[in-house]
Amino acid sequence: MAEKLKYFVNGEYVESKTETYYTLVNPSTGETTGYAPCCTAEEVEGAIAAAKAAYPSWRATPAIKRAQVLYKIRDLLIEHMDELTMLVAEENGKVWSEAEGDVLKAKEGTELATQVPSLMMGESIMDASKGYDTVKYREAMGVFAGIVPVNFPAMIPFGWMAPTCIATGNTMVLKAASLTPRTALRIAGLYKEAGVPDGVINIVTCSRNEINIILDSPDVKGITFVGSTPVGKKIYERA
């Protein structure tokens, strides 16, 4: 029986109060596999608030400690490789090898993020001017949002977006593709299992109306998007 999915906020899967759901279909069979919520404005705002609340303590966590959490995420992605591959195949209609490649790219992006102590190294120069030394630091900024396309439900949100974002001390709200959210929701659970603190990663599914809440929010310091050029330009202009 097709189930109504929940969204993921503050470390928990939460049932939405929305009356609008997206029908999820396995493209290979035409079978209805579930229903994803069109999260309400209040629920999207709550996800942003959860990320904002989690930011100070996560930023204060030493980079080497954050890297150790990313190593655990990488191990869990390997442990659950077949399960995640099946999820991608079922919700995206990909053959096994391509679906597995999608998940492997999430693993590779996570491996890159484990190098955060090196990625965040700054620069220094002695005697930049007489009697003055100069130091440059790389610092976290706050809450970031990721807007995810339908066709790579593992690689883009959890290879390109989330790992480096959280490794560098930021927190994130991911707007998963409303028609292929299962993989992202499952990986969010693995992040929690790996030790990512509540609120550091949050997953919503919603319409463009609720996306505008993310684009307009003063608490969102940056946005990453993968999709068409016209939509990317609109996001850039509004944000």
Side-chain angles (χ1 to χ4, degrees):
M1 182 178 178
E3 64 173 330
K4 284 187 175 181
L5 301 183
K6 300 177 180 180
Y7 67 105
F8 187 84
V9 63
N10 207 27
E12 301 291 340
Y13 291 101
V14 179
E15 185 172 349
S16 175
K17 296 180 180 179
T18 187
E19 295 182 356
T20 304
Y21 280 80
Y22 300 97
T23 301
L24 309 181
V25 176
N26 182 338
S28 299
T29 64
E31 174 191 6
T32 296
T33 58
Y35 303 92
C38 178
C39 290
T40 66
E42 292 77 13
E43 289 165 349
V44 173
E45 290 168 353
I48 296 171
K52 182 180 180 181
Y55 170 65
S57 62
W58 183 240
R59 172 181 175 166
T61 302
I64 189 67
K65 297 292 186 181
R66 297 196 299 264
Q68 289 169 356
V69 174
L70 270 291
Y71 277 114
K72 293 179 182 177
I73 293 171
R74 183 253 190 194
D75 290 344
L76 286 171
L77 290 174
I78 293 172
E79 180 182 339
H80 294 270
M81 183 65 61
D82 285 353
E83 175 196 353
L84 296 172
T85 298
M86 181 61 76
L87 279 174
V88 173
E90 287 182 343
E91 71 176 354
N92 218 206
K94 294 182 178 181
V95 298
W96 184 270
S97 59
E98 187 176 350
E100 185 178 48
D102 195 336
V103 182
L104 285 170
K105 288 298 181 183
K107 178 185 75 75
E108 290 175 6
T110 304
E111 289 170 342
L112 171 65
T114 63
Q115 305 308 305
V116 63
S118 297
L119 295 173
M120 293 195 75
M121 289 180 66
E123 299 175 5
S124 63
I125 182 171
M126 296 178 66
D127 296 320
S129 184
K130 187 173 181 179
Y132 290 90
D133 299 337
T134 299
V135 179
K136 179 172 73 176
Y137 298 99
R138 289 190 170 95
E139 299 180 335
M141 293 178 62
V143 179
F144 280 74
I147 302 175
V148 181
V150 72
N151 55 340
F152 287 94
M155 177 181 76
I156 291 175
F158 287 102
W160 295 2
M161 295 180 176
T164 307
C165 176
I166 72 166
T168 49
N170 301 289
T171 58
M172 188 161 233
V173 176
L174 278 171
K175 187 275 173 189
S178 297
L179 299 180
T180 58
R182 287 183 180 275
T183 305
L185 288 167
R186 178 67 184 104
I187 294 177
L190 297 181
Y191 269 51
K192 180 178 176 67
E193 185 178 341
V196 174
D198 295 347
V200 170
I201 188 79
N202 306 275
I203 313 286
V204 297
T205 47
C206 60
S207 74
R208 67 181 64 183
N209 294 324
E210 291 76 33
I211 290 176
N212 286 338
I213 294 170
I214 295 172
L215 301 182
D216 295 341
S217 174
D219 292 326
V220 175
K221 303 305 180 184
I223 296 167
T224 176
F225 164 79
V226 175
S228 68
T229 298
V231 175
K233 287 181 176 179
K234 290 180 179 179
I235 290 173
Y236 178 82
E237 290 167 1
R238 181 152 188 159

